[in-house]
C-alpha cells in the first residue's frame, strides 16, 4: 500500500491545475500578440487594410492620425497583460497559502515527515544521552565553583539544576516504560518517544537559561584557578593513598572483590596529568591577558580534577563498604538461619508463605548458600559484598517477612551497586549510551523507594551495559601523543565534547545550546 506521505494529489485536482495553467498561458500569448501586432503595423508604414475595402481611402484617412492610433493601440494590450500578470500572481499566492495550511497529504507540505519508529527511537536515545550529560556536567561544575559564590548567589543555579533533574527523571521513566512495551498502541508509543524528547529539551532549556548568569558569578579567574589548583593537590595525594588501599584490599579480599574499581587509580592519575597541562596553560594565558583561552583551559582542568575525584572516591568508598559487609556478614548468617527456621516452622504448621513444594526447594537452596558462605569465611580471601548479596537473596526468597540484619545487608549491597554504577557512568560518559543510563536511573528510583533487591539488580544491569558501551567505543588515541597527555581519557569521560581534532571545547554548566560555549574563536 502506498504511504499517505508519498501519495500525490487526486487526479481531478491535478486536472484542474493543468486547466488553470493552460488558461494562463493562452491569456499570456493573446496579450503578447495583441501587444506586438500594432508595433508590426507601425513598422510596415501603415495600418493593415480590411479585406474587400479600398486601400487608398483607408490609408489616406489614417495617415493624419497615424501616431495617435499607434499609442492607443498599445494601451489596451498593456492593460490586458497587466491584468493577466495580476491574476497569475493572485493564483500563485492562493495556491501557496492553501498548500501551507492543507492537512490532507499532497506533494507540497511544510509539515516535516513523521519519522519511522527506528528513527524516533534513535532521536529519543540521543536526547537522553545529551540531557544526561548536561545535567552531570552542570552538577559537577556547580559543586566545583559554588564555594566561589557569595551567600545565596548559587540558589538560582541549584533550582535550575533540580528542575532539569526532574525533567530528566521523567524522560527516563517514560523511556523505561517504553522499553517494557508500555504503551502498546503504535500511535501512543510514538507519542511516548515525543514525550522523551520534549522532557529532555525542557531539561536543557532550564540549564541554558541559567548559563549566562552562572558565568558572570563564577568570580575572578584568579580565584577559580587557585581553587582548582588546591583541589588538584589534594587529589594527587589521595590518589597515591588510594593505590595503597587498593593493593591491601586485593590482598585481603581477593581480586574479584576490587574488580568494580579496577583501573580507577590509573585513570585518576591520567585525568590529573590532563589537569596539570591545562592548569599550567590557564595560568600562562591569564598572565598574558588571553582571558578566553584561560577560561577554556581552566574549565577543562576543573572537569578533569572533578572526575579524578570521582574515581579516587570510588576506591575509598568501596574499601569502606567491603569492611562494613565483612563486619555484617556473621550477623546476617545468624539472621538467615533464624528465617530458615521460621519458614520450616510455618511449613510444619501447614501455613507456608509459598506453596509447600516451592518452599521446600527454596529452603534447600538457602541452606546451601549459607553453608557455602560459612566455608568462604574460613578461606584465605573472599568478597564480603558478594557473599552478603547471596545470603540476602537466598533468605528473601523464603518470604518469611522478617527484615532484621538481612534487610540492612540488602540495603548496603544495593547502595554499593548503585554508587559503583554511577561512578562508572560519570567517568566514562563520553561512550555510555541511553540504555545503561536508563537502567541506572531506574536503580536510583528503586533505591529511593526502599526496593533494595530491585535497585541492586538494575544497577548491576546498568554497569554491564555501560562496560559494553565502553568496550565498543575503544580508544581512538591509542599509541599516540594524545593518549599520553590524557586527551583520550578526557574525551572518554566527557570532559571535552570531542567536536574537534584536539578534543573540542570543555563541557560547561548549561544545556545543549550553551555547554560548548568555551570555544576558541
Amino acid at each position: 500500500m502506498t504511504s499517505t506521505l508519498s501519495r500525490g494529489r487526486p487526479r481531478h485536482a491535478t486536472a484542474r491545475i493543468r486547466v488553470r495553467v493552460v488558461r494562463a498561458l493562452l491569456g499570456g500569448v493573446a496579450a503578447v500578440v495583441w501587444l506586438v501586432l500594432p508595433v508590426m503595423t507601425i513598422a510596415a508604414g501603415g495600418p493593415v487594410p480590411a479585406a474587400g475595402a479600398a486601400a487608398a481611402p483607408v490609408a489616406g484617412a489614417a495617415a493624419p492620425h497615424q501616431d495617435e492610433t499607434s499609442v492607443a493601440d498599445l494601451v489596451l494590450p498593456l492593460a490586458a497583460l497587466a491584468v493577466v500578470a495580476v491574476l497569475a500572481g493572485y493564483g500563485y499566492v492562493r495556491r501557496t497559502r492553501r498548500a501551507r495550511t492543507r492537512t490532507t497529504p499532497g506533494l507540497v507540505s511544510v509539515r516535516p515527515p513523521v519519522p519511522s519508529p527506528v528513527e524516533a527511537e534513535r532521536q529519543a536515545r540521543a536526547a537522553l544521552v545529551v540531557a544526561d550529560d548536561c545535567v552531570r556536567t552542570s552538577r559537577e561544575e556547580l559543586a566545583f565553583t559554588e564555594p566561589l559564590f557569595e551567600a545565596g548567589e548559587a540558589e538560582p543555579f541549584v533550582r535550575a539544576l533540580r528542575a532539569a533533574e526532574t525533567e530528566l527523571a521523567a524522560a527516563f521513566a517514560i523511556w523505561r516504560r517504553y522499553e517494557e512495551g508500555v504503551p502498546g498502541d503504535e500511535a501512543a508509543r510514538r507519542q511516548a518517544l515525543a514525550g522523551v524528547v520534549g522532557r529532555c529539551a525542557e531539561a536543557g532549556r532550564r540549564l541554558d537559561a541559567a548559563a549566562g548568569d552562572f558565568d558572570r558569578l563564577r568570580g575572578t579567574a584568579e580565584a577559580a584557578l587557585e581553587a582548582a589548583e588546591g583541589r588538584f593537590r589534594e587529589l594527587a595525594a589521595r590518589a597515591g593513598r588510594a593505590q595503597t588501599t587498593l593493593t591491601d584490599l586485593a590482598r585481603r579480599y581477593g581480586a574479584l572483590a576490587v574488580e568494580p574499581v579496577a583501573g580507577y587509580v590509573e585513570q585518576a592519575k591520567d585525568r590529573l596529568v590532563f589537569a596539570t597541562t591545562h592548569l599550567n596553560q590557564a595560568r600562562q594565558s591569564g598572565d598574558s591577558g588571553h582571558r578566553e583561552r584561560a577560561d577554556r583551559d581552566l574549565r577543562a582542568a576543573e572537569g578533569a580534577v572533578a572526575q579524578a575525584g570521582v574515581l579516587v572516591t570510588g576506591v575509598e568508598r568501596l574499601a569502606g563498604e567491603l569492611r562494613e559487609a565483612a563486619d555484617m556478614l556473621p550477623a546476617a548468617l545468624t539472621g538467615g538461619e533464624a528465617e530458615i527456621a521460621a519458614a520450616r516452622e510455618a511449613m510444619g504448621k501447614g501455613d507456608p508463605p509459598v506453596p509447600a513444594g516451592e518452599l521446600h526447594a527454596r529452603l534447600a537452596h538457602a541452606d546451601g548458600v549459607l553453608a557455602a558462605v560459612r566455608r568462604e569465611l574460613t578461606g584465605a580471601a573472599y568478597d564480603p559484598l558478594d557473599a552478603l548479596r547471596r545470603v540476602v537473596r537466598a533468605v528473601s526468597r523464603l518470604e518469611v517477612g522478617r527484615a532484621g540484619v538481612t534487610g540492612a545487608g540488602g540495603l548496603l549491597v544495593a547502595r554499593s551497586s548503585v554508587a559503583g554504577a554511577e561512578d562508572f557512568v560519570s567517568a566514562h560518559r563520553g561512550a555510555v549510551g541511553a540504555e545503561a543510563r536508563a537502567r541506572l536511573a531506574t536503580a536510583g528510583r528503586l533505591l529511593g523507594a526502599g526496593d533494595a533487591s530491585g535497585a541492586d539488580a538494575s544497577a548491576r544491569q546498568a554497569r554491564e551495559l555501560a562496560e559494553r558501551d565502553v568496550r565498543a567505543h575503544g580508544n581512538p588515541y591509542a599509541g599516540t601523543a594524545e593518549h599520553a597527555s590524557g586527551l583520550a581519557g578526557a574525551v572518554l569521560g566527557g570532559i571535552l565534547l570531542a567536536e574537534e581534532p584536539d578534543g573540542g571545547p570543555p563541557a560547561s554548566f548549561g544545556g545543549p545550546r550553551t555547554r560548548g560555549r568555551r570555544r576558541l574563536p
Side-chain angles (χ1 to χ4, degrees), residues 53-73:
V58 174
H65 307 284
Q66 184 174 349
D67 293 339
E68 297 177 7
T69 305
S70 299
V71 174
D73 287 342

Side-chain angles (χ1 to χ4, degrees), residues 301-390:
E302 288 175 346
V305 170
Q307 208 160 99
V310 169
L311 295 165
V312 171
T313 301
V315 174
E316 296 170 343
R317 188 195 63 253
L318 180 62
E321 292 167 347
L322 288 171
R323 287 192 293 268
E324 186 177 356
D327 293 340
M328 188 181 292
L329 196 52
L333 287 169
T334 302
E337 290 172 346
E339 294 196 34
I340 290 174
R344 284 200 171 97
E345 182 180 356
M347 187 168 61
K349 293 179 179 180
D351 187 25
V354 295
E358 179 65 23
L359 181 58
H360 182 75
R362 294 182 183 184
L363 283 168
H365 174 71
D367 282 333
V369 169
L370 267 62
V373 170
R374 286 192 179 279
R375 287 193 298 271
E376 291 177 9
L377 289 178
T378 62
Y382 72 102
D383 182 352
L385 281 169
D386 181 66
L388 187 59
R389 176 183 289 109
R390 284 182 284 141

